[in-house]
Amino acid sequence: MALKIADPVTFLRNLVSKKGKSDLYGVYLTSINVVADSQIEFDYPVTSEETDKALKNLLSGEAADWNQLLVQVRTDESEIVHPIAFHHCGEPVTAFFITEGHEMSCSISIPKLNVDEFYFDVVFFQALLKKVAGFAGKNPSMVRFLIGAASLDWEHLVERGEAEEVTVGF
């Protein structure tokens, strides 16, 4: 029986390196779903200061949209899905905050990302869900990532021993 992988970054890295297609720059895989429990603290190299700063920049950058969303999740209990679109790390992202009884989850749609930078996204969106759920009086549950295309660079694959550099001569 295979070992269950609870770490979203390890899961994504293994999936892309084993099932991905190779091209000139590395390996990529399209249409991926990854789930992260919002209550688990993963041991990723992200400080709370980095996360807090990124959250503050996001929420203050598009304050009117975020204020509208926060008021809506707190007051409109008949609505189950609360969408918002914004830019995160240079990519357009759509987030759906989903009310499920006393809990709230979120589904994050990211068009493309580099697997080696995904650890920051996991921690960031866990913190964002906790903030929105806390404001709404809900318990944060899961973050679901819908990734259009995830890539791994050849350089990083070779460094980790997941690929071998080959010189081709004519």
Side-chain angles (χ1 to χ4, degrees):
M1 189 164 136
L3 179 66
K4 183 178 178 184
I5 301 173
D7 169 20
V9 173
T10 303
F11 172 79
L12 182 60
R13 181 176 288 124
N14 288 345
L15 190 65
V16 172
S17 64
K18 290 181 177 149
K19 303 280 186 186
K21 307 282 186 206
S22 62
D23 68 6
L24 184 60
Y25 303 106
V27 177
Y28 68 93
L29 188 62
T30 59
S31 301
I32 307 165
N33 294 316
V34 180
V35 176
D37 189 325
S38 67
Q39 301 302 321
I40 295 177
E41 296 291 327
F42 299 104
D43 191 26
Y44 296 149
V46 179
T47 65
S48 60
E49 291 82 23
E50 289 175 300
T51 307
D52 292 342
K53 182 180 176 186
L55 271 175
K56 183 179 178 184
N57 289 341
L58 174 67
L59 297 176
S60 64
E62 299 175 25
D65 292 341
W66 283 102
N67 287 337
Q68 181 181 357
L69 177 94
L70 291 172
V71 168
Q72 186 183 36
V73 298
R74 182 179 239 171
T75 59
D76 191 0
E77 295 195 16
S78 65
E79 204 52 49
I80 296 172
V81 179
H82 307 276
I84 188 165
F86 53 93
H87 279 79
H88 172 70
C89 297
E91 287 293 326
V93 173
T94 304
F96 299 92
F97 293 93
I98 303 161
T99 305
E100 303 164 312
H102 295 291
E103 293 186 341
M104 180 177 280
S105 65
C106 71
S107 180
I108 307 295
S109 176
I110 302 174
K112 64 180 179 174
L113 65 80
N114 188 309
V115 175
D116 294 320
E117 299 166 0
F118 185 52
Y119 64 88
F120 180 78
D121 293 333
V122 171
V123 175
F124 176 78
F125 287 112
Q126 282 179 318
L128 181 61
L129 174 60
K130 288 176 185 176
K131 188 164 209 72
V132 173
F135 190 84
K138 305 288 183 186
N139 298 319
S141 61
M142 297 294 227
V143 180
R144 294 172 187 89
F145 294 94
L146 308 169
I147 303 167
S151 64
L152 279 167
D153 297 330
W154 283 122
E155 181 179 308
H156 294 121
L157 286 166
V158 171
E159 284 175 9
R160 285 193 294 271
E162 296 174 357
E164 191 175 317
E165 192 169 353
V166 177
T167 303
V168 178
F170 294 97

